[in-house]
Amino acid sequence: MNKTEDSRKSNHHGQIISIRSSVVDVRFSEGLPEVYSELRTGEDDRIVIEVVNHVDEQTVRGIALMPTAGLARGAAVKDTGKTLKVPVGDKLLGRVFNVFGEAIDKKDQISDAQWRSIHQPPVELAEQSTSSEILETGIKAIDVLAPLERGGKAGLFGGAGVGKTVLLSEMIHNMATHHEGVSLFCGIGERNREAEEFYREMQEAGVLNNTIMVFGQMNEPPGARFRVGHAALTMAEYFRDDAKQDVLLLMDNIFRFIQAGQEVSGLMGRLPSRVGYQPTLGTELSELEERIGNTASGSITSVQAVYVPADDFTDPAAVHTFGHLSSSIVLSRKRASQGLYPAIDPLQSNSKMLTPPIVGKRHYQIAQTVRQTLANYEDLKDIISMLGMEELSASDRQTVNRARRLERFLTQPFFTTEQFTGKAGKLVSMEEALDGCDRILQGEFSDYSERSLYMLGKIDEAQKSQPQEQEENSEKE
């Protein structure tokens, strides 16, 4: 029965009755294709159309995922009888794909892999893991002040040139070496320059073989950009559910996913909602975000670059996105200009995981004290710039001393930047990072120069460089 139905559907043909930009209406004389069905038309059935809704008993409305140049009314349309599919499996590692699962890295196409629909339901609530676990990144500033949730979603806020790509590539490296997991980079509305640069950087850093890249580029129709996130998630779900591995999913940029949905909604003729966004904004974002999660055997942890329109955190796109995030990592241009890399702002970055029942009382207290010390230093900067350190009280001078050493200790040499800095990368466990912060707060390193705590891994490494610092100072005198 099913075989006959599949055969009928695969040979089912319709006719285009209207084309408006990427929106195509198709009439079928009998039996309508289901919503999300893949239709093909044009020369060699090259143009892909995804059914979005049913207009009447004979007409479907679809969105073209490719340019519609050359299409005309009356053209034949073939119903493939299936939804859009992408390949899954280990053969995808080290490769670059588009929304259709086609390799775009000038290497052989993936032919013998298993193909799955990009439209998958989220993990059932009963199968999700109910315990909150921390996913260690090996990056001190993140693990101490904004720990990531295993199977959670973190937002990465930062402009161009502050080290966002470097931070993402370091996370990919640490995921591959420390957790033996898989990393998946999803570029939604990426510029082709950014995609090509990221590919080369991954290759030079030696982490490409544990990474899959999926791109829906900026010049592609909104339908393709709107579905590329679903395609990437389908690939990630294979490693979580079938291979039982931890997956790090990096999405750049989640706002462009919302923007693509806004374009699709406008083309479909839907009435806009608040601030011109699509009325289905919350539903569309939830359909994507709810597929990210953890089970007893594996997890998908997502780090999403988030653009906040005009720095307005009350914008509907920002409000809906923040509702899904468990951590916020903010990159600061000011810290980058001071050479404090990674340029994570310790006062603006935060995490819902940073509570005593989850991270423990010691971690919580150290993180809060670090924040308080750095906040007090921030308040004292105006006095220091006008009157100098001499006018500060003894306790304020002690605060400044510890805050400046904490700032330098939270810097870290990365594995992915070894060829540029000449410094060997360091992976620091959460316990080692907390131990270092605690010892600085206790005043143990007050006699050490600030430079001896800059760009190192564990705090014990500072002791090795201390005698050398003293010799250099005595030579100068």
Side-chain angles (χ1 to χ4, degrees):
M1 178 68 185
N2 288 340
K3 286 182 181 177
T4 313
E5 191 175 327
D6 287 346
S7 155
R8 183 190 68 76
K9 279 195 167 184
S10 62
N11 295 314
H12 198 198
H13 285 79
Q15 194 177 49
I16 293 176
I17 56 172
S18 80
I19 304 166
R20 297 182 308 282
S21 184
S22 294
V23 176
V24 183
D25 286 359
V26 185
R27 177 167 291 149
F28 288 86
S29 55
E30 57 177 50
L32 288 182
E34 294 176 4
V35 173
Y36 300 145
S37 289
E38 179 188 334
L39 311 180
R40 285 191 172 264
T41 185
E43 191 179 338
D44 301 325
D45 289 338
R46 188 182 52 83
I47 297 172
V48 179
I49 300 168
E50 186 178 60
V51 176
V52 178
N53 62 20
H54 293 168
V55 179
D56 56 42
E57 61 271 12
Q58 286 192 315
T59 313
V60 296
R61 182 162 291 161
I63 195 89
L65 305 187
M66 304 172 84
T68 54
L71 273 192
R73 288 175 64 184
V77 176
K78 180 184 174 184
D79 174 17
T80 62
K82 62 183 194 303
T83 59
L84 203 62
K85 293 186 176 183
V86 291
V88 296
D90 293 333
K91 292 184 178 178
L92 276 61
L93 293 169
R95 303 297 302 274
V96 187
F97 300 92
N98 62 12
V99 70
F100 306 110
E102 298 167 348
I104 52 172
D105 52 6
K106 297 183 179 177
K107 296 177 185 174
D108 294 338
Q109 293 295 332
I110 305 286
S111 55
D112 53 348
Q114 182 187 350
W115 288 69
R116 288 186 186 172
S117 169
I118 67 167
H119 299 284
Q120 300 286 346
V123 177
E124 292 288 337
L125 203 58
E127 294 173 22
Q128 291 184 19
S129 174
T130 53
S131 60
S132 293
E133 293 178 54
I134 300 299
L135 183 77
E136 283 193 41
T137 62
I139 300 168
K140 291 181 284 190
I142 293 176
D143 288 343
V144 172
L145 300 169
L148 302 189
E149 180 186 8
R150 182 176 177 267
K153 294 162 273 274
L156 181 63
F157 304 84
V162 293
K164 188 170 61 179
T165 304
V166 173
L167 190 61
L168 291 178
S169 55
E170 185 70 6
M171 283 183 178
I172 289 174
H173 176 276
N174 293 355
M175 191 71 183
T177 55
H178 190 53
H179 294 282
E180 296 181 353
V182 173
S183 299
L184 205 148
F185 182 86
C186 174
I188 305 175
E190 282 281 281
R191 300 170 184 87
N192 55 12
R193 169 186 61 80
E194 292 174 329
E196 189 269 336
E197 281 174 6
F198 195 77
Y199 179 81
R200 261 192 298 112
E201 282 169 14
M202 295 292 98
Q203 206 168 27
E204 287 167 11
V207 297
L208 190 62
N209 290 337
N210 288 299
T211 310
I212 302 167
M213 295 188 195
V214 191
F215 289 108
Q217 289 171 199
M218 202 172 261
N219 64 321
E220 293 182 31
R225 286 181 272 127
F226 188 54
R227 288 298 179 216
V228 71
H230 297 83
L233 264 168
T234 302
M235 295 175 181
E237 283 166 345
Y238 166 84
F239 290 100
R240 178 192 65 190
D241 301 333
D242 293 45
K244 314 289 186 191
Q245 288 179 285
D246 286 333
V247 184
L248 182 66
L249 174 64
L250 307 161
M251 300 179 87
D252 188 9
N253 186 308
I254 203 67
F255 177 75
R256 293 195 194 124
F257 166 76
I258 293 169
Q259 220 170 22
Q262 188 179 7
E263 289 179 54
V264 169
S265 181
L267 289 167
M268 297 296 293
R270 294 179 188 140
L271 284 173
S273 182
R274 186 171 158 232
V275 202
Y277 285 105
Q278 61 271 41
T280 51
L281 167 61
T283 309
E284 290 168 358
L285 188 62
S286 297
E287 280 176 355
L288 185 76
E289 298 280 11
E290 288 301 302
R291 287 171 65 180
I292 299 166
N294 58 346
T295 63
S297 55
S299 69
I300 299 175
T301 305
S302 175
V303 179
Q304 307 171 3
V306 182
Y307 168 71
V308 181
D311 291 334
D312 178 13
F313 286 84
T314 63
D315 187 273
V319 170
H320 281 283
T321 305
F322 284 131
H324 293 279
L325 300 179
S326 54
S327 306
S328 298
I329 302 164
V330 181
L331 297 181
S332 157
R333 192 171 299 281
K334 185 180 176 186
R335 288 177 69 82
S337 66
Q338 293 170 341
L340 300 173
Y341 288 106
I344 294 167
D345 190 319
L347 300 180
Q348 291 191 59
S349 302
N350 57 67
S351 170
K352 291 178 184 174
M353 295 293 101
L354 201 58
T355 58
I358 296 173
V359 297
K361 191 175 282 187
R362 178 172 178 262
H363 184 161
Y364 175 75
Q365 287 175 343
I366 290 172
Q368 292 302 98
T369 312
V370 166
R371 275 220 180 90
Q372 189 61 55
T373 305
L374 293 172
N376 291 343
Y377 173 45
E378 203 65 35
D379 293 339
L380 291 168
K381 278 182 178 177
D382 288 341
I383 299 172
I384 296 168
S385 62
M386 288 187 289
L387 304 173
M389 283 281 286
E390 295 74 21
E391 298 301 314
L392 297 179
S393 65
S395 65
D396 283 347
R397 275 203 296 273
Q398 186 185 69
T399 298
V400 172
N401 179 301
R402 290 176 184 176
R404 288 181 65 84
R405 279 154 182 76
L406 278 171
E407 281 186 335
R408 274 125 190 99
F409 176 64
L410 289 175
T411 62
Q412 189 170 339
F414 282 175
F415 292 96
T416 50
T417 57
E418 281 180 6
Q419 67 264 44
F420 307 114
T421 61
K423 287 181 176 285
K426 304 281 183 182
L427 188 79
V428 184
S429 72
M430 188 178 287
E431 198 50 50
E432 290 166 343
L434 288 170
D435 182 53
C437 290
D438 192 28
R439 287 167 69 183
I440 291 171
L441 290 168
Q442 299 302 327
E444 191 178 323
F445 293 86
S446 297
D447 298 334
Y448 281 53
S449 71
E450 292 170 11
R451 204 175 86 181
S452 68
L453 293 166
Y454 179 67
M455 281 292 170
L456 46 80
K458 295 186 290 186
I459 194 75
D460 293 336
E461 293 172 27
Q463 295 171 339
K464 298 170 188 173
S465 60
Q466 179 61 12
Q468 186 184 345
E469 293 284 334
Q470 287 175 337
E471 283 171 25
E472 286 177 7
N473 292 336
S474 61
E475 281 172 16
K476 287 174 187 173
E477 288 167 8

